[in-house]
Amino acid sequence: MYSARMETEYLHLPIGEIGQRWSDLRIIDPGAEAAMERSMRQFGQMTPLVVCQAGKDGYELADGFKRLRAAIRLEYERLCVRVFPGGIRAAKAAMIRLNMKARSISDFEKALVIRSLHRQDGLTQAQIATLLDRHPSWVCRKLSLAERLCEEVTENLRLGLINMTIGRELAKLPRGNQEKAMK
């Protein structure tokens, strides 16, 4: 019987070998960042990061962005990582799937990941729906949210300068009016 758990590989990687090119798909919450840093200072790393193999020797972070940032601030040299079996598309999907149960990923972050799968990875909405085990209309709504927001609003949401409730309201406006209304 096949088990993904048996295929999982755990490593202790130097922090510098963990790529962060998908960090812009997650929102920085200063309160959650501070809590993670306090936890890691007190207890150390309790949960491995999830990475995927990107190229021959590189690893790209899929889950554990707060842990990685806390480890950098605390001057860790290495972190325990779980190597996610599968390719880059599967790892991006894991960004959503690994965080849905704990509800630690916002609708906007889901929208950013879906937009990345659609634009950068060339997947259709139907393919994304299959990958995420969701209905195509769910994918369409999330993609629409990411596509309707202007860059300034998107950046402010990513940085945690405005909350998602404001983002949803701004998404109802034409893109040209969003920045002014945000200010």
Side-chain angles (χ1 to χ4, degrees):
M1 183 165 133
Y2 172 78
S3 169
R5 280 198 181 282
M6 295 183 343
E7 300 283 326
T8 301
E9 179 182 4
Y10 290 88
L11 303 171
H12 284 83
L13 290 179
I15 286 181
E17 292 183 19
I18 302 170
Q20 300 180 58
R21 71 176 161 180
W22 299 328
S23 65
D24 63 341
L25 301 177
R26 298 302 307 264
I27 295 173
I28 295 173
D29 175 349
E33 298 276 330
M36 179 59 68
E37 187 173 338
R38 283 191 305 274
S39 173
M40 288 183 70
R41 183 178 295 115
Q42 184 173 4
F43 303 110
Q45 181 186 4
M46 299 185 68
T47 308
L49 306 179
V50 177
V51 299
C52 74
Q53 190 130 25
K56 292 186 180 200
D57 297 318
Y59 294 94
E60 204 56 54
L61 184 61
D63 186 54
F65 292 94
K66 285 188 292 280
R67 279 170 274 160
L68 178 61
R69 286 189 292 268
I72 290 168
R73 286 189 300 275
L74 294 170
E75 299 180 354
Y76 279 44
E77 291 182 19
R78 296 177 164 275
L79 286 171
C80 179
V81 302
R82 186 178 112 202
V83 180
F84 185 80
I88 288 174
R89 293 172 178 172
K92 281 185 182 178
M95 292 175 76
I96 294 175
R97 295 182 71 120
L98 291 170
N99 289 288
M100 284 194 50
K101 200 172 241 181
R103 297 177 191 212
S104 59
I105 188 168
S106 71
D107 282 346
F108 182 63
E109 289 169 310
K110 292 173 197 170
L112 292 174
V113 173
I114 288 167
R115 182 173 67 179
S116 176
L117 285 165
H118 183 62
R119 284 190 178 177
Q120 280 87 42
D121 300 312
L123 296 180
T124 65
Q125 290 182 35
Q127 290 169 321
I128 296 168
T130 300
L131 185 63
L132 296 173
D133 195 26
R134 300 300 298 220
H135 194 274
S137 65
W138 182 87
V139 171
C140 181
R141 286 191 306 275
K142 299 296 178 238
L143 183 58
S144 176
L145 174 62
E147 295 288 332
R148 286 190 319 247
L149 293 171
C150 72
E151 270 310 307
E152 184 72 22
V153 172
T154 298
E155 192 60 28
N156 277 273
L157 280 166
R158 278 189 190 129
L159 295 174
L161 299 175
I162 60 172
N163 65 36
M164 195 55 232
T165 302
I166 293 170
R168 276 193 201 95
E169 291 302 313
L170 291 170
K172 294 175 184 177
L173 298 172
R175 289 172 63 100
N177 297 344
Q178 293 174 6
E179 188 176 349
K180 184 176 179 182
M182 178 181 68
K183 292 179 179 177

